[in-house]
Amino acid sequence: MPLNALNYVWRLLVTGIAFACFFGGGLVLALTVFPTIAVFVRREERRVRATQAVIHHTFRFYIAMLELLGIIKLEVHGVSVLLDGKGRMIIANHPTLLDVVVLMSLVPRAQCIVKAELWRSRWLGGVMRWAGYIRNDLEPEALLAACKTAMAEGKGLIIFPEGTRSRPGEALQFRRGFANIALLAEAEIQLVMIDCRPIMLSKGDPWWKIPAKRSLFRVSVGERLDAAETLSYQYRSLAARQLVRRLQTYFTEQLGLG
């Protein structure tokens, strides 16, 4: 069998193993490690912080494992900006299923807005609950309050403004929800570009649809801006539209999608 074919078979095999580790590992953490933390750390704020720290280090290990197995290669540019401990919104594009894992492995204190169905997941629901991540189906006031609290505590609030993974070759389409949160919270926004080539685990792709060669993930920390800069508009709806257009144009240009 040619060397390239052997490499493909190897990456297909270890990709399956990596997926099993991800979901099985989440269940193990939720049933063993996180309840143990709760026994010894009684205050909810400290318990959530400890749980999220375990997730951060677990994801760092997981990404290192993916690199070691030859599934991906990761390049990161400007990561020091994310390590200053200041609470802010981290806005990133969303080309692959691994994006949130990569970002949370890079941000020591990260908070996420997650789909409500993940809270009901057999494999990951326990992780969502123990970690205190923010459900996306909360009432608007409760959602905004949770986001403000996370940033006030010095956490990086990771948001994918597309709402779901983008499809290769299609234009980016940012939703307005993140802009409303940013404006109401008067948040500092850190832009992060994620590029994966050849693309893998994009929207609609099963885990076994892997590219012919190892994928290179490039994470580039870009501009930082203050949402209050757009508050000169008389109406918040206009300010939100302007912020969406500005960021969508920026990501399109930076990623060469125009």
Side-chain angles (χ1 to χ4, degrees):
M1 183 180 293
L3 185 60
N4 288 343
L6 284 173
N7 178 264
Y8 180 87
V9 171
W10 164 256
R11 287 188 297 105
L12 182 61
L13 174 63
V14 295
T15 297
I17 294 173
F19 257 76
C21 288
F22 183 83
F23 290 101
L27 183 60
V28 170
L29 287 174
L31 293 177
T32 58
V33 177
F34 298 157
T36 302
I37 291 174
V39 169
F40 293 99
V41 184
R42 308 301 298 178
R43 288 180 55 186
E44 182 179 2
E45 180 183 341
R46 293 179 60 193
R47 174 184 59 76
V48 168
R49 182 182 301 178
T51 301
Q52 292 181 351
V54 169
I55 293 172
H56 166 67
H57 290 290
T58 300
F59 281 170
R60 283 177 61 89
F61 172 81
Y62 187 75
I63 292 297
M65 181 186 76
L66 296 184
E67 289 197 272
L68 182 63
L69 293 174
I71 299 174
I72 68 169
K73 180 177 175 57
L74 177 64
E75 288 184 3
V76 183
H77 304 279
V79 70
S80 60
V81 174
L82 303 177
L83 305 179
D84 61 6
K86 187 174 182 180
R88 61 174 64 90
M89 289 178 67
I90 298 174
I91 302 298
N93 61 306
H94 195 9
T96 85
L97 190 62
L98 285 175
D99 301 332
V100 68
V101 179
V102 170
L103 285 178
M104 292 182 70
S105 74
L106 298 173
V107 181
R109 300 192 63 198
Q111 177 61 293
C112 298
I113 299 176
V114 300
K115 294 180 180 179
E117 51 261 36
L118 283 177
W119 283 63
R120 299 185 291 272
S121 168
R122 176 185 304 175
W123 305 104
L124 299 178
V127 175
M128 301 298 112
R129 292 187 290 270
W130 282 112
Y133 293 139
I134 302 171
R135 295 173 59 122
N136 69 347
D137 63 345
L138 293 177
E139 293 296 322
E141 295 81 5
L143 179 64
L144 177 62
C147 292
K148 283 183 173 181
T149 297
M151 290 184 283
E153 293 174 350
K155 295 178 180 178
L157 179 63
I158 298 173
I159 296 180
F160 299 110
E162 296 163 272
T164 186
R165 281 172 284 168
S166 53
R167 293 187 182 275
E170 295 185 4
L172 299 179
Q173 295 293 332
F174 287 3
R175 299 180 180 180
R176 204 184 305 170
F178 83 94
N180 287 320
I181 294 172
L183 292 168
L184 288 168
E186 296 187 24
E188 185 180 81
I189 300 173
Q190 179 63 61
L191 307 181
V192 178
M193 280 67 64
I194 302 174
D195 188 26
C196 175
R197 301 187 186 184
I199 192 69
M200 64 178 292
L201 300 177
S202 61
K203 189 173 181 63
D205 286 346
W207 69 263
W208 60 83
K209 187 180 178 181
I210 64 172
K213 63 179 182 178
R214 179 169 60 165
S215 294
L216 171 62
F217 277 76
R218 287 193 179 94
V219 179
S220 303
V221 179
E223 291 185 11
R224 182 184 298 180
L225 55 94
D226 192 335
E229 293 176 0
T230 58
L231 289 176
S232 57
Y233 289 84
Q234 183 177 3
Y235 300 104
R236 178 168 52 84
S237 60
L238 295 178
R241 291 193 189 99
Q242 172 62 18
L243 185 57
V244 169
R245 284 195 296 267
R246 177 179 176 182
L247 266 58
Q248 189 169 288
T249 299
Y250 177 85
F251 276 87
T252 298
E253 292 175 349
Q254 292 294 314
L255 295 167
L257 300 175

